[in-house]
Amino acid sequence: MPKSTSRSDSPLPGGVRFEEGPKGFRRLAIHGSDAEARIYLHGAQVAHFRPHRGARDHPLLFMSRQSCFDTGQPIRGGVPVIFPWFGSRRDTPSAPAHGLARIREWALESATQTSDGAIAVTLVLEPDEGFRSAWPFDFLLRYRVEVGAALTMALEVTNRSPQCIRFEEALHTYFAVSDIRHVTVDGLHGPYVDTVGGRRDLKEHGPGPIHFEAETDRIYPGHRSRAVIRDPAWERYIVVEKSGSDATVLWNPWAVKARAMPDFGDDEWPSMLCIETGNVGDQAVSLPPGQIHRMQAVIHAEEASGNAPS
Ligand code: BG6
């Protein structure tokens, strides 16, 4: 079990408690009036979210049954918080992929009930010695997760360094779907960078929905609007809205890459789809000293029999 801290001496609000997950990893279990959720201190990772209405009884987030729960390793599924680099680090390929925030223990700063009955949890991360030796800047990450009818995740980066810092970040959201081969995504059109197989090919997707027929790994630079997952078999839509994010990443490993991932079941790829709210690549954030950057993703589900979100 990793060491973890709580900065908050206040009691947890009703419906929120600490519990032990696999291998003793501590997590907050939240049973709110509109939804249930689980959030690990490891990586501040939201690992489960199911609203009481709109989701047709399926969780919104995918979690791999083969995820390892080991210190220094990421959890496979939910919403890994990616910071301060995305993918492999260009100048140091041996550095952990997707940065260090997802493999650090975060501290609970507060857990409260909002005026509309949602539960709001705030977790914080400051750089330890190991973090600073890999990325020599001072910062504070503050991550507020609100569990209501929607899941609202807001990541704030404060630059505490005397110089400007440049970083990438993403809320690497794994959505649960009935079968990737039968779902479509609306709202992601225009130019994208196809990164399948380590390439960086510039391509373009027209105005229609995206269908999935093979490994998909794309960065949509300049994408600032909503995306909608349409899942007819589960009779629901998932809507992803965001702010402070200038790029969206779309990913499914498909069969061959899934087999190469030790912490992911060979047969799990049809059950997930990542739509990642981020600032990556040329959209990395430059933040002057003392400034705060805020990026937010809001996800909710709607039953397919209702009005289709556009
Ligand atoms: C996605 C990347 O964001 O994350 C993919 O676009 C990558 O290229 C995937 O394979 C998973 O990364 P990891 O480090 O969690 O295995």
Side-chain angles (χ1 to χ4, degrees), residues 76 86 97-98 102 172 174 195 217 249 251 257 261 276:
R76 176 73 68 194
F86 179 84
H98 284 330
R102 68 173 177 168
H172 189 310
Y174 286 76
T195 59
D217 204 349
V249 179
W251 179 60
K257 190 163 179 183
M261 292 159 54
E276 307 167 32

Side-chain angles (χ1 to χ4, degrees), residues 24-239:
F25 270 51
R26 288 186 85 207
R27 64 190 185 195
L28 286 157
I30 299 171
H31 294 273
S33 49
D34 291 314
E36 60 182 39
R38 286 193 286 274
I39 306 171
Y40 285 91
L41 295 180
H42 186 75
Q45 196 145 333
V46 180
H48 171 69
F49 172 66
R50 176 159 44 194
H52 299 327
R53 283 177 295 281
R56 293 281 192 192
D57 270 352
H58 299 286
L60 256 61
L61 301 177
F62 163 88
M63 171 60 66
S64 172
R65 63 170 189 276
Q66 266 181 234
S67 176
C68 52
F69 286 87
D70 288 321
T71 307
Q73 295 298 320
I75 296 169
R76 176 73 68 194
V79 189
V81 176
I82 308 305
F83 175 90
W85 59 86
F86 179 84
S88 55
R89 196 170 168 188
R90 277 181 209 163
D91 48 353
T92 322
S94 58
H98 284 330
L100 300 175
R102 68 173 177 168
I103 53 174
R104 284 294 188 277
E105 299 311 301
W106 292 54
L108 176 67
E109 186 179 70
S110 64
T112 53
Q113 188 161 33
T114 68
S115 54
D116 57 0
I119 303 287
V121 169
T122 301
L123 297 137
V124 289
L125 181 73
E126 293 170 288
D128 54 32
E129 211 177 295
F131 207 124
R132 277 207 197 88
S133 64
W135 199 71
F137 304 105
D138 196 12
F139 63 86
L140 170 70
L141 297 187
R142 178 172 275 123
Y143 185 42
R144 185 177 190 274
V145 179
E146 193 172 307
V147 177
L151 176 67
T152 302
M153 300 169 287
L155 181 65
E156 268 183 18
V157 182
T158 304
N159 181 5
R160 289 174 163 177
S161 303
Q163 69 274 62
C164 187
I165 58 173
R166 188 164 170 82
F167 58 86
E168 295 175 290
E169 59 179 350
L171 299 172
H172 189 310
T173 313
Y174 286 76
F175 290 101
V177 296
S178 60
D179 187 326
I180 185 72
R181 292 159 292 195
H182 305 304
V183 305
T184 56
V185 170
D186 283 324
L188 282 172
H189 34 75
Y192 66 89
V193 184
D194 187 340
T195 59
V196 170
R199 296 192 313 269
R200 294 191 67 81
D201 298 340
L202 196 58
K203 296 185 178 170
E204 175 107 14
H205 184 80
I210 297 172
H211 296 259
F212 297 87
E213 290 160 350
E215 181 184 347
T216 302
D217 204 349
R218 301 178 178 182
I219 299 171
Y220 286 81
H223 180 256
R224 297 188 188 93
S225 46
R226 59 159 48 186
V228 179
I229 302 172
R230 296 176 191 274
D231 193 338
W234 281 357
E235 299 182 318
R236 73 178 186 187
Y237 308 102
I238 298 176
V239 182

